Amino acid sequence: MNTNFTVEGPKEVLEKIHVNIDYTDYQEKWHSFTTYYKGKTYRNNAEEILAYGVNINYNDILFFEELCDFNPHYFDYADYKKIIFKKEKNDIYVKVLFFEDQANNPDKVGFTKLLTLDDFFKKNNIIEDSIKHNYEKSFKEVIIP
């Protein structure tokens, strides 16, 4: 199954972006790999995807996570897979798209602001140090396929 994303945005943002993909297979074993790192795209294919996460790191300062439901057939039909960045003043925003109709309907999927790690933890009610550590590792680890 194709897990590759097209990444678009201003060059000065893309040079500082790091995108990791986390997914679980049908045996519920988690896998991770880097699909985009500071201007370069890396490709990876997976045979079985049950759930999927997109972790974005901007310059080790701002972070974002997009999780997809446990649905074995979801990625069989996700034909678009695009990540779009924009910059407004000092803020970085992202939009993760899986289907072309999402791109053609801007009200359906909007941009989300990247957060500092502390703000991300607060927003998601993450208080345990071990869970915080796992998130930080997931965001920052570079795993070139």
Side-chain angles (χ1 to χ4, degrees), residues 20-24 29-35 44 53 55 137-138 141-145:
N20 278 346
I21 304 298
D22 296 327
Y23 69 94
T24 185
K29 180 179 176 189
W30 281 95
H31 306 271
S32 297
F33 66 92
T34 299
T35 190
N44 194 34
N55 297 319
K137 181 181 176 189
S138 170
E141 191 171 39
V142 177
I143 311 158
I144 305 296

Side-chain angles (χ1 to χ4, degrees), residues 110-134:
F111 281 89
T112 302
K113 183 178 172 182
L114 275 64
L115 302 172
T116 65
L117 211 50
D118 285 340
D119 288 342
F120 175 83
F121 293 148
K122 287 176 191 171
K123 178 184 175 194
N124 293 290
N125 252 352
I126 299 169
I127 56 173
E128 283 186 47
D129 287 339
S130 62
I131 296 173
K132 287 180 178 181
H133 174 74
N134 287 341

Side-chain angles (χ1 to χ4, degrees), residues 92-117:
I92 307 297
Y93 295 84
V94 65
K95 181 189 293 193
V96 179
L97 304 170
F98 291 97
F99 300 97
E100 193 167 3
D101 69 329
Q102 293 173 325
N104 297 329
N105 186 353
D107 295 332
K108 195 169 186 178
V109 179
F111 281 89
T112 302
K113 183 178 172 182
L114 275 64
L115 302 172
T116 65
L117 211 50

Side-chain angles (χ1 to χ4, degrees), residues 16-116:
K16 297 177 181 179
I17 288 293
H18 169 192
V19 179
N20 278 346
I21 304 298
D22 296 327
Y23 69 94
T24 185
D25 59 25
Y26 291 167
Q27 288 74 41
E28 297 187 14
K29 180 179 176 189
W30 281 95
H31 306 271
S32 297
F33 66 92
T34 299
T35 190
Y36 189 86
Y37 185 66
K38 297 183 178 181
K40 293 185 180 178
T41 301
Y42 299 92
R43 304 289 180 202
N44 194 34
N45 288 318
E47 293 300 317
E48 304 173 331
I49 295 178
L50 185 59
Y52 204 95
V54 178
N55 297 319
I56 295 170
N57 169 340
Y58 173 77
N59 207 30
D60 279 344
I61 298 170
L62 302 174
F63 303 91
F64 170 82
E65 178 183 55
E66 173 83 17
L67 295 175
C68 297
D69 241 344
F70 284 83
N71 182 340
H73 301 292
Y74 187 80
F75 296 98
D76 291 336
Y77 302 107
D79 56 352
Y80 199 64
K81 297 188 191 109
K82 184 176 279 193
I83 301 172
I84 303 170
F85 294 94
K86 71 177 182 177
K87 183 174 183 178
E88 292 181 2
K89 297 182 183 177
N90 292 328
D91 296 322
I92 307 297
Y93 295 84
V94 65
K95 181 189 293 193
V96 179
L97 304 170
F98 291 97
F99 300 97
E100 193 167 3
D101 69 329
Q102 293 173 325
N104 297 329
N105 186 353
D107 295 332
K108 195 169 186 178
V109 179
F111 281 89
T112 302
K113 183 178 172 182
L114 275 64
L115 302 172
T116 65

